[in-house]
Amino acid sequence: MLDIGLLQQFLSSKNELRRIEDISVEQLNEYLSEFIISVRKKEDQGEYEPSSLRSMFASFERYLKKKNGFSIMMDKSSERARKALQSKQKELKQKGKGNKPNASVALSEDEVKLLYEKELLGISSREALLNTVWFNNTIHFGLRGCKEHRDMCWGDVKPCKNANGEEYLEYFERQTKTRTGDNPRDVRKVTPKMYAIPTNPPEKDPVFVYKFYAEKRPNEMNTDEAPFYLAVNHCKKVSSDKSWFKKSAIGVNTLNSLMKRMAEKAGLGPNISNHSGRKTMMQTLTNNDVPPTDIVQLSGHAKRYELFNRKPKPANENVSSLSELGDLQRVLHFEY
DNA sequence: TTCCAACTATTGTTTGCACC
DNA sequence: GGTGCAAACAATAGTTGGAA
């Protein structure tokens, strides 16, 4: 555990060579107080964010509880350490910390347009195709930035047709060995849908993009259990269209930095990460007067808390309209 | 067979999200 | 505003496949 290592290092600098769990509760209280007040980042000796300090404290709590059943969060003897944490957090807040300087931001309509113009989104290359599939899944299915995409299997998305003959994709997260559905936070009560927009150019029609992606995947990887996102095949000897993707899942690093990489290549502003896609979806729905009760059904949020605190943004300020992202409201035609 | 580019998983570090 | 957990990102080492 890294935080523990940091604390142990601090103790060594004070000539305290015992392991943390071997130190008496009273003395540890003193050490922890001092540590919390004086700890600095390795990189630039700057102050940590208040939430980082909190996480460190939580790490110590977990470690000590496991080692000797001691709780620095609850036990009276650790009051001083807790107070030190509180006052340090207040101090940092006063210094202007804790304002989430790195929080991801939603994409504006112009930014999405730019991504298509620069062919970072679209169907012109294998990277662009993968980016577009990922982007569509994020803004239509409301998938969280990283893990949900990584866990996604090919069989989770099914192409369907309604009574009017309209085509759509439906996201159905099946239970597998690794996805047992035991985490109440992950529950989506409805299956989100992504409708075809035949009037759009093909690269902006989500159902067309999905079908195109299916064609470009190796046949063997179109089974239900196969990973949804495949590694791009950079092989130059492209003898057939089938070799756009490898027969293996894309790596975590590539998948996790998909949006960031696109933003960098397109020269977009900072703080655009995978989570920006999800924020874009929620911002778009909010700005188009979709009721919060409906949005949470789609996003998988357990409560409406975040949405009730979200005010619609004024026109031309980081607002995506439905025209560019497709008719997102249609995904809210759920069967409850 | 060797080299190299481009990828992958793993581990470490920092921070934000979701909920209470 | 407090808390638990996971995401996001970076560094590193290992792997793979094409080219020479």
PDB file of all heavy atoms in Angstrom, chain A residues 94-113:
ATOM      1  N   GLN A  94      -8.929  27.110   2.356  1.00  0.00           N
ATOM      2  CA  GLN A  94      -8.706  28.561   2.403  1.00  0.00           C
ATOM      3  C   GLN A  94      -7.643  28.997   1.402  1.00  0.00           C
ATOM      4  O   GLN A  94      -7.658  30.102   0.879  1.00  0.00           O
ATOM      5  CB  GLN A  94      -8.295  28.982   3.821  1.00  0.00           C
ATOM      6  CG  GLN A  94      -9.498  29.145   4.729  1.00  0.00           C
ATOM      7  CD  GLN A  94      -9.099  29.229   6.198  1.00  0.00           C
ATOM      8  OE1 GLN A  94      -7.918  29.170   6.545  1.00  0.00           O
ATOM      9  NE2 GLN A  94     -10.087  29.339   7.065  1.00  0.00           N
ATOM     10  N   LYS A  95      -6.718  28.064   1.151  1.00  0.00           N
ATOM     11  CA  LYS A  95      -5.645  28.395   0.194  1.00  0.00           C
ATOM     12  C   LYS A  95      -6.106  28.210  -1.244  1.00  0.00           C
ATOM     13  O   LYS A  95      -5.318  28.309  -2.175  1.00  0.00           O
ATOM     14  CB  LYS A  95      -4.430  27.495   0.445  1.00  0.00           C
ATOM     15  CG  LYS A  95      -3.605  27.896   1.650  1.00  0.00           C
ATOM     16  CD  LYS A  95      -2.396  26.964   1.763  1.00  0.00           C
ATOM     17  CE  LYS A  95      -1.531  27.314   2.953  1.00  0.00           C
ATOM     18  NZ  LYS A  95      -0.509  26.274   3.184  1.00  0.00           N
ATOM     19  N   GLY A  96      -7.386  27.881  -1.400  1.00  0.00           N
ATOM     20  CA  GLY A  96      -7.917  27.754  -2.762  1.00  0.00           C
ATOM     21  C   GLY A  96      -7.855  26.353  -3.315  1.00  0.00           C
ATOM     22  O   GLY A  96      -8.145  26.122  -4.481  1.00  0.00           O
ATOM     23  N   LYS A  97      -7.450  25.391  -2.459  1.00  0.00           N
ATOM     24  CA  LYS A  97      -7.426  23.997  -2.927  1.00  0.00           C
ATOM     25  C   LYS A  97      -8.837  23.410  -2.824  1.00  0.00           C
ATOM     26  O   LYS A  97      -9.732  24.037  -2.272  1.00  0.00           O
ATOM     27  CB  LYS A  97      -6.471  23.173  -2.058  1.00  0.00           C
ATOM     28  CG  LYS A  97      -5.006  23.499  -2.306  1.00  0.00           C
ATOM     29  CD  LYS A  97      -4.433  22.516  -3.270  1.00  0.00           C
ATOM     30  CE  LYS A  97      -2.972  22.732  -3.543  1.00  0.00           C
ATOM     31  NZ  LYS A  97      -2.493  21.849  -4.610  1.00  0.00           N
ATOM     32  N   GLY A  98      -8.999  22.219  -3.335  1.00  0.00           N
ATOM     33  CA  GLY A  98     -10.270  21.525  -3.176  1.00  0.00           C
ATOM     34  C   GLY A  98     -11.350  21.980  -4.128  1.00  0.00           C
ATOM     35  O   GLY A  98     -12.525  21.714  -3.939  1.00  0.00           O
ATOM     36  N   ASN A  99     -10.971  22.691  -5.180  1.00  0.00           N
ATOM     37  CA  ASN A  99     -11.980  23.147  -6.137  1.00  0.00           C
ATOM     38  C   ASN A  99     -12.021  22.285  -7.394  1.00  0.00           C
ATOM     39  O   ASN A  99     -12.468  22.720  -8.449  1.00  0.00           O
ATOM     40  CB  ASN A  99     -11.722  24.603  -6.514  1.00  0.00           C
ATOM     41  CG  ASN A  99     -11.932  25.522  -5.326  1.00  0.00           C
ATOM     42  OD1 ASN A  99     -12.840  25.308  -4.536  1.00  0.00           O
ATOM     43  ND2 ASN A  99     -11.080  26.495  -5.173  1.00  0.00           N
ATOM     44  N   LYS A 100     -11.500  21.081  -7.255  1.00  0.00           N
ATOM     45  CA  LYS A 100     -11.502  20.121  -8.356  1.00  0.00           C
ATOM     46  C   LYS A 100     -10.949  20.715  -9.650  1.00  0.00           C
ATOM     47  O   LYS A 100     -11.675  20.837 -10.644  1.00  0.00           O
ATOM     48  CB  LYS A 100     -12.923  19.572  -8.573  1.00  0.00           C
ATOM     49  CG  LYS A 100     -13.455  18.922  -7.329  1.00  0.00           C
ATOM     50  CD  LYS A 100     -14.811  18.346  -7.556  1.00  0.00           C
ATOM     51  CE  LYS A 100     -15.273  17.649  -6.276  1.00  0.00           C
ATOM     52  NZ  LYS A 100     -16.591  17.111  -6.389  1.00  0.00           N
ATOM     53  N   PRO A 101      -9.687  21.115  -9.617  1.00  0.00           N
ATOM     54  CA  PRO A 101      -9.112  21.758 -10.795  1.00  0.00           C
ATOM     55  C   PRO A 101      -8.999  20.817 -11.990  1.00  0.00           C
ATOM     56  O   PRO A 101      -8.895  21.264 -13.119  1.00  0.00           O
ATOM     57  CB  PRO A 101      -7.718  22.187 -10.322  1.00  0.00           C
ATOM     58  CG  PRO A 101      -7.402  21.265  -9.189  1.00  0.00           C
ATOM     59  CD  PRO A 101      -8.710  20.964  -8.529  1.00  0.00           C
ATOM     60  N   ASN A 102      -9.013  19.517 -11.724  1.00  0.00           N
ATOM     61  CA  ASN A 102      -8.845  18.569 -12.833  1.00  0.00           C
ATOM     62  C   ASN A 102     -10.135  17.876 -13.235  1.00  0.00           C
ATOM     63  O   ASN A 102     -10.089  16.899 -13.978  1.00  0.00           O
ATOM     64  CB  ASN A 102      -7.806  17.509 -12.443  1.00  0.00           C
ATOM     65  CG  ASN A 102      -6.490  18.140 -12.067  1.00  0.00           C
ATOM     66  OD1 ASN A 102      -6.077  19.108 -12.683  1.00  0.00           O
ATOM     67  ND2 ASN A 102      -5.844  17.628 -11.045  1.00  0.00           N
ATOM     68  N   ALA A 103     -11.241  18.340 -12.732  1.00  0.00           N
ATOM     69  CA  ALA A 103     -12.504  17.680 -13.062  1.00  0.00           C
ATOM     70  C   ALA A 103     -12.738  17.751 -14.570  1.00  0.00           C
ATOM     71  O   ALA A 103     -12.458  18.775 -15.204  1.00  0.00           O
ATOM     72  CB  ALA A 103     -13.652  18.358 -12.321  1.00  0.00           C
ATOM     73  N   SER A 104     -13.270  16.675 -15.101  1.00  0.00           N
ATOM     74  CA  SER A 104     -13.484  16.636 -16.537  1.00  0.00           C
ATOM     75  C   SER A 104     -14.651  17.546 -16.925  1.00  0.00           C
ATOM     76  O   SER A 104     -15.544  17.784 -16.127  1.00  0.00           O
ATOM     77  CB  SER A 104     -13.758  15.212 -17.001  1.00  0.00           C
ATOM     78  OG  SER A 104     -14.893  14.728 -16.339  1.00  0.00           O
ATOM     79  N   VAL A 105     -14.624  18.040 -18.143  1.00  0.00           N
ATOM     80  CA  VAL A 105     -15.696  18.917 -18.607  1.00  0.00           C
ATOM     81  C   VAL A 105     -16.422  18.278 -19.784  1.00  0.00           C
ATOM     82  O   VAL A 105     -15.861  17.437 -20.485  1.00  0.00           O
ATOM     83  CB  VAL A 105     -15.145  20.297 -19.053  1.00  0.00           C
ATOM     84  CG1 VAL A 105     -14.521  21.029 -17.895  1.00  0.00           C
ATOM     85  CG2 VAL A 105     -14.134  20.135 -20.175  1.00  0.00           C
ATOM     86  N   ALA A 106     -17.657  18.694 -19.988  1.00  0.00           N
ATOM     87  CA  ALA A 106     -18.448  18.172 -21.111  1.00  0.00           C
ATOM     88  C   ALA A 106     -17.945  18.787 -22.420  1.00  0.00           C
ATOM     89  O   ALA A 106     -17.336  19.851 -22.428  1.00  0.00           O
ATOM     90  CB  ALA A 106     -19.916  18.509 -20.901  1.00  0.00           C
ATOM     91  N   LEU A 107     -18.217  18.078 -23.503  1.00  0.00           N
ATOM     92  CA  LEU A 107     -17.817  18.587 -24.820  1.00  0.00           C
ATOM     93  C   LEU A 107     -18.892  19.518 -25.365  1.00  0.00           C
ATOM     94  O   LEU A 107     -20.078  19.273 -25.178  1.00  0.00           O
ATOM     95  CB  LEU A 107     -17.661  17.428 -25.799  1.00  0.00           C
ATOM     96  CG  LEU A 107     -16.465  16.518 -25.609  1.00  0.00           C
ATOM     97  CD1 LEU A 107     -16.606  15.319 -26.531  1.00  0.00           C
ATOM     98  CD2 LEU A 107     -15.182  17.238 -25.904  1.00  0.00           C
ATOM     99  N   SER A 108     -18.478  20.570 -26.043  1.00  0.00           N
ATOM    100  CA  SER A 108     -19.451  21.443 -26.682  1.00  0.00           C
ATOM    101  C   SER A 108     -19.768  20.887 -28.064  1.00  0.00           C
ATOM    102  O   SER A 108     -19.061  20.025 -28.584  1.00  0.00           O
ATOM    103  CB  SER A 108     -18.886  22.852 -26.809  1.00  0.00           C
ATOM    104  OG  SER A 108     -17.841  22.838 -27.760  1.00  0.00           O
ATOM    105  N   GLU A 109     -20.835  21.408 -28.660  1.00  0.00           N
ATOM    106  CA  GLU A 109     -21.224  20.957 -29.995  1.00  0.00           C
ATOM    107  C   GLU A 109     -20.103  21.218 -31.003  1.00  0.00           C
ATOM    108  O   GLU A 109     -19.810  20.390 -31.866  1.00  0.00           O
ATOM    109  CB  GLU A 109     -22.499  21.686 -30.425  1.00  0.00           C
ATOM    110  CG  GLU A 109     -23.000  21.226 -31.777  1.00  0.00           C
ATOM    111  CD  GLU A 109     -24.391  21.761 -32.094  1.00  0.00           C
ATOM    112  OE1 GLU A 109     -24.985  22.399 -31.217  1.00  0.00           O
ATOM    113  OE2 GLU A 109     -24.855  21.523 -33.203  1.00  0.00           O
ATOM    114  N   ASP A 110     -19.463  22.382 -30.865  1.00  0.00           N
ATOM    115  CA  ASP A 110     -18.377  22.724 -31.783  1.00  0.00           C
ATOM    116  C   ASP A 110     -17.215  21.744 -31.657  1.00  0.00           C
ATOM    117  O   ASP A 110     -16.573  21.404 -32.652  1.00  0.00           O
ATOM    118  CB  ASP A 110     -17.870  24.151 -31.496  1.00  0.00           C
ATOM    119  CG  ASP A 110     -18.850  25.199 -32.000  1.00  0.00           C
ATOM    120  OD1 ASP A 110     -19.715  24.832 -32.812  1.00  0.00           O
ATOM    121  OD2 ASP A 110     -18.747  26.362 -31.568  1.00  0.00           O
ATOM    122  N   GLU A 111     -16.965  21.326 -30.424  1.00  0.00           N
ATOM    123  CA  GLU A 111     -15.845  20.397 -30.214  1.00  0.00           C
ATOM    124  C   GLU A 111     -16.126  19.042 -30.859  1.00  0.00           C
ATOM    125  O   GLU A 111     -15.246  18.422 -31.447  1.00  0.00           O
ATOM    126  CB  GLU A 111     -15.552  20.264 -28.716  1.00  0.00           C
ATOM    127  CG  GLU A 111     -14.838  21.484 -28.157  1.00  0.00           C
ATOM    128  CD  GLU A 111     -14.770  21.513 -26.640  1.00  0.00           C
ATOM    129  OE1 GLU A 111     -15.636  20.906 -25.981  1.00  0.00           O
ATOM    130  OE2 GLU A 111     -13.860  22.164 -26.104  1.00  0.00           O
ATOM    131  N   VAL A 112     -17.378  18.593 -30.735  1.00  0.00           N
ATOM    132  CA  VAL A 112     -17.751  17.320 -31.365  1.00  0.00           C
ATOM    133  C   VAL A 112     -17.615  17.452 -32.880  1.00  0.00           C
ATOM    134  O   VAL A 112     -17.068  16.572 -33.555  1.00  0.00           O
ATOM    135  CB  VAL A 112     -19.200  16.933 -30.989  1.00  0.00           C
ATOM    136  CG1 VAL A 112     -19.623  15.676 -31.733  1.00  0.00           C
ATOM    137  CG2 VAL A 112     -19.317  16.712 -29.487  1.00  0.00           C
ATOM    138  N   LYS A 113     -18.051  18.586 -33.402  1.00  0.00           N
ATOM    139  CA  LYS A 113     -17.959  18.843 -34.845  1.00  0.00           C
ATOM    140  C   LYS A 113     -16.496  18.779 -35.290  1.00  0.00           C
ATOM    141  O   LYS A 113     -16.167  18.183 -36.313  1.00  0.00           O
ATOM    142  CB  LYS A 113     -18.527  20.250 -35.116  1.00  0.00           C
ATOM    143  CG  LYS A 113     -19.398  20.321 -36.366  1.00  0.00           C
ATOM    144  CD  LYS A 113     -19.932  21.724 -36.540  1.00  0.00           C
ATOM    145  CE  LYS A 113     -21.421  21.795 -36.380  1.00  0.00           C
ATOM    146  NZ  LYS A 113     -21.967  23.146 -36.402  1.00  0.00           N
TER     147      LYS A 113
END
